Amino acid sequence: MTHLRYGFRTFVLELVMIAAGLAFLFPVYALITLSLKGSQEIASSPLAPPIPPTGANYSSAWSSASLGSALLNSTVIAVAGLVCLIGLGSFAAYFLARCASRLGYTLYVLFLLGIVLPFQLGMIPLFKLVDQMGLLGTYQGMIIFYTGIQLPFTIFLYTGFIRALPRDYANAAMIDGASHLQAFTRVVFPLLRPITGTVLILNAVFIWNDFFTPLLYLGGSARETVPVRVFAFVGQYVSDYGIVFAGLVLAALPILAVFLVLQRYVIRGFASGLKG
């Protein structure tokens, strides 16, 4: 058995990794520390640990920024958008991955173009279209927008993963009398759990953190999402940094919790897709 020796090079690499970890953790430490301090303590010692910590900033931020309704709006839009993306993306990717015709290849290339082309090029016509359909300031308009914008990327991820799956599972189900739809929903889709977790977390982070689109389509309505509401809140309380940072922490906590739960699927999904 070969034993790895702990040498000077390993020691230096460990120091570099520790330094990199501290560099990434420092903004998080500063954000949480400032959110637990009063205005006077922030002015005198901004980066020192809060003694004693106060939770008054969080209650003030929650009530002043109306984060409860904003969190509900973001959650509804994100969940509905993710359901549409996973349902449409997985089924379309299954067809593209299993279709060996020129039509399947052409459609796949067209979806890849949707990833390359920036969606900002179509913002004005899309805005006019949504306005003419009467969907400005509604959940439906945002859900349709995010589904259309993120569908090419979702199909790209699913297609690579499905191509790495053996065809025997679906073929065996169809030999037993299942249709293509039954073979996909009952046999193939349960096998897509790793890449589904990847699709979920990447799209959830994009939808949750997007600022420009909700500002354009929902600004001034009762359907404003968390980034839009926090932006207006920061402008209102720019001199009270404790409340501002508390609002930022509250806005980041839901998507951070989702990421921590599903983070193992991100690497697993990418690695499985690359094998194919």
Side-chain angles (χ1 to χ4, degrees):
M1 182 181 295
T2 303
H3 296 279
L4 296 177
R5 293 187 301 174
Y6 185 88
F8 178 76
R9 182 179 180 182
T10 306
F11 175 72
V12 172
L13 289 175
E14 287 184 351
L15 290 180
V16 172
M17 294 303 297
I18 292 173
L22 292 175
F24 280 104
L25 288 176
F26 178 76
V28 179
Y29 165 79
L31 179 64
I32 297 176
T33 299
L34 292 172
S35 69
L36 296 173
K37 290 182 176 183
S39 300
Q40 295 181 352
E41 192 176 358
I42 291 176
S44 60
S45 56
L47 297 180
I51 303 174
T54 176
N57 292 331
Y58 287 92
S59 59
S60 299
W62 181 268
S63 58
S64 300
S66 301
L67 287 179
S69 60
L71 287 171
L72 176 62
N73 295 336
S74 291
T75 302
V76 171
I77 293 172
V79 171
L82 290 172
V83 170
C84 294
L85 284 170
I86 291 174
L88 295 175
S90 61
F91 194 75
Y94 178 69
F95 169 78
L96 295 176
R98 295 294 185 249
C99 181
S101 64
R102 183 174 298 179
L103 174 63
Y105 178 77
T106 303
L107 291 175
Y108 183 67
V109 171
L110 290 177
F111 279 116
L112 292 182
L113 289 177
I115 301 176
V116 176
L117 296 177
F119 75 91
Q120 289 85 354
L121 294 177
M123 287 303 297
I124 295 178
L126 282 174
F127 181 83
K128 291 183 178 180
L129 178 62
V130 172
D131 187 20
Q132 293 172 357
M133 295 174 63
L135 295 178
L136 284 180
T138 64
Y139 290 141
Q140 297 91 323
M142 294 303 303
I143 293 168
I144 294 173
F145 177 87
Y146 284 128
T147 301
I149 290 299
Q150 291 299 103
L151 191 60
F153 180 63
T154 301
I155 290 176
F156 170 74
L157 293 177
Y158 270 121
T159 303
F161 191 91
I162 293 174
R163 285 174 176 170
L165 290 178
R167 297 173 179 261
D168 300 341
Y169 301 112
N171 292 339
M174 287 186 287
I175 290 175
D176 290 338
S179 63
H180 281 285
L181 179 60
Q182 291 173 331
F184 172 74
T185 55
R186 299 181 182 181
V187 178
V188 176
F189 187 76
L191 298 175
L192 303 180
R193 185 178 301 174
I195 195 63
T196 299
T198 304
V199 168
L200 194 153
I201 187 61
L202 294 180
N203 285 317
V205 170
F206 174 81
I207 295 174
W208 190 272
N209 292 332
D210 185 28
F211 169 73
F212 177 72
T213 306
L215 178 65
L216 185 64
Y217 288 85
L218 303 176
S221 70
R223 300 288 190 266
E224 288 182 344
T225 57
V226 171
V228 179
R229 194 69 58 82
V230 169
F231 174 75
F233 169 72
V234 170
Q236 182 180 359
Y237 291 90
V238 68
S239 60
D240 198 335
Y241 294 105
I243 298 179
V244 168
F245 285 113
L248 295 176
V249 172
L250 290 173
L253 279 179
I255 196 64
L256 179 62
V258 173
F259 179 80
L260 292 177
V261 171
L262 299 175
Q263 61 176 333
R264 66 182 184 274
Y265 290 113
V266 176
I267 302 301
R268 189 187 305 175
F270 274 126
S272 301
L274 290 175
K275 291 179 182 177

